[in-house]
Amino acid sequence: MKYTYHYDSPLGGITMASDGESLSGLWFDGQKYFGAGLAADEEEQTESGEILPVFEETKKWLDIYFDGKEPDFTPRLHLQGSPFRIEVWEILLKIPYGKTTTYKEIAERVAAQRGIPSMSAQAVGGAVGHNPISIIVPCHRILGTDGSLTGYAGGVEKKKSLLALEQGGK
């Protein structure tokens, strides 16, 4: 069974998902690929009900983050996807708060890890776009090779806002 919980952020509603132990999803409401992997029989938790510890921890992380500070912990995550996607998402987790990188740089890192001459930045873009745990797995920190704000499943305006927040410009 998976559980969901709703969080109201300054940028709009966010839905979290959990397997009961770890965070398995975090999406802006209505974003592209919203709720990927959730079934219709998910059990929603509300403010009046008992909240899973992982949702409490994630709420605390988001509260710190949206207050313009870097959280000093990460909720327990359960990333589900192909080995390639998980490899890309693990690279995303290593991008420091307030910093950015490009799809091309991630492709080069994946190629180096695999001992191959090159990797498609488009393939990396597909993995980044399907990241199931937005914000915490910071796909918003990825830019086009020319530094442009290309694509974000939550919308480019939210991407701009998240990057500005991390630069101290709530």
Side-chain angles (χ1 to χ4, degrees), residues 21 24 52 57 61 90 99 121-122 128 160:
E21 299 291 325
S24 58
L52 289 174
E57 187 178 24
W61 191 99
E90 287 175 350
K99 303 291 183 192
Q122 286 180 314
V128 170
K160 280 184 192 174

Side-chain angles (χ1 to χ4, degrees), residues 1 5 17 25 51 57 65-66 72 77 93-94 105-107 110 115 121 129 145 147 150 158 162-163 166 168:
M1 160 106 19
Y5 184 81
I51 300 170
E57 187 178 24
Y65 181 84
F66 283 115
D72 62 357
L77 306 177
L93 282 166
K94 295 175 184 162
E105 290 168 336
I106 293 174
V110 170
T145 301
T150 60
K158 283 187 175 68
L162 294 170
L163 292 172
E166 292 184 17

Side-chain angles (χ1 to χ4, degrees), residues 22-51:
S22 303
L23 189 69
S24 58
L26 190 145
W27 307 271
F28 281 106
D29 292 349
Q31 83 173 45
K32 194 173 185 181
Y33 312 118
F34 175 85
L38 291 179
D41 65 346
E42 308 307 339
E43 180 176 311
E44 183 161 355
Q45 297 198 340
T46 62
E47 288 294 335
S48 61
E50 190 170 317
I51 300 170

